[in-house]
Amino acid sequence: MRVDLNADVGELSGQASADGEDGLMPHVTSVNVACGLHAGDPGTMRRTVASAGRWQVAVGAHPGFADRPGFGRRPIALSTPEVEALVAYQVGALAAVAGLEGVPLRHVKPHGALYTMAATD
């Protein structure tokens, strides 16, 4: 049996985050990278994807609501088309950054309230 050990990453900015996440990569098999709205930024996304690529860790997008103060954990009422656009925007951004590093995206795992709302609505 193979177990996928997964972690949410790219949610902090700066060198300390990059160093800590690089140390995490040998211990996981897949990661969910924050896509810039609830947390993260383009530079952090790129460093995180590059690290995952070096360690051959599967990379997935971790889209969330545009709610940095609440870390994407507060529900936001959006229509279905608005949610589709929100997710497409974030997955597209990470896909573009991952493409710069030659790392494919393997999955999407919504973050926080977006995940909870998707599970219940």
Side-chain angles (χ1 to χ4, degrees):
M1 176 191 313
R2 183 173 185 269
V3 174
D4 177 22
L5 184 56
N6 176 269
D8 295 345
V9 296
E11 294 181 325
L12 300 174
S13 298
Q15 191 58 45
S17 172
D19 293 343
E21 289 179 352
D22 198 50
L24 174 71
M25 295 297 173
H27 306 288
V28 297
T29 52
S30 68
V31 291
N32 314 312
V33 181
C35 298
L37 291 187
H38 79 278
D41 57 71
T44 301
M45 289 172 13
R46 188 167 189 178
R47 284 190 301 275
T48 303
V49 167
S51 178
R54 283 192 300 278
W55 289 101
Q56 298 180 356
V57 171
V59 172
H62 198 39
F65 286 126
D67 174 30
R68 284 184 179 266
F71 194 60
R73 293 187 174 139
R74 298 182 291 199
I76 297 175
L78 298 175
S79 68
T80 298
E82 289 171 321
V83 171
E84 289 171 343
L86 182 81
V87 172
Y89 173 79
Q90 292 177 80
V91 173
L94 185 62
V97 169
L100 295 172
E101 295 298 325
V103 174
L105 292 187
R106 301 284 184 201
H107 63 277
V108 176
K109 191 249 178 186
H111 169 82
L114 181 60
Y115 179 89
T116 302
M117 290 172 74
T120 59
D121 183 5

